[in-house]
Amino acid sequence: MEDRITELEIRLALQDELLESLNSTVAQQQMQLARLQQLFAEMQGHISQLELGPRAASQQEIPPHY
């Protein structure tokens, strides 16, 4: 009976270590995801500025034949 309890304690300790490791991994991935979302939003802003830049300038200019 004591051997079974010892084995269960060992298994519990290993599961605790695994759980801590997985929790750390998930936390790191969440930080990476947040950073990637921030970069993506910045890139969308830059792209929209690039797309609107030439169009806005060409729409404001009066063609030479007018």
Side-chain angles (χ1 to χ4, degrees):
M1 180 71 146
E2 190 174 318
D3 289 342
R4 290 181 67 194
I5 292 174
T6 304
E7 182 180 335
L8 289 173
E9 289 174 341
I10 291 170
R11 291 177 73 183
L12 179 61
L14 292 174
Q15 287 181 354
D16 282 344
E17 288 178 20
L18 180 60
L19 184 60
E20 287 180 30
S21 174
L22 290 172
N23 188 42
S24 174
T25 300
V26 169
Q28 288 175 357
Q29 288 178 341
Q30 181 60 39
M31 288 188 301
Q32 289 174 342
L33 181 60
R35 178 67 180 140
L36 289 172
Q37 287 173 331
Q38 178 185 2
L39 289 172
F40 182 71
E42 290 174 11
M43 289 175 62
Q44 281 182 316
H46 291 302
I47 289 172
S48 66
Q49 287 178 356
L50 291 173
E51 288 176 348
L52 293 177
R55 286 185 192 163
S58 65
Q59 289 176 354
Q60 291 176 357
E61 293 178 11
I62 298 175
H65 62 276
Y66 281 118

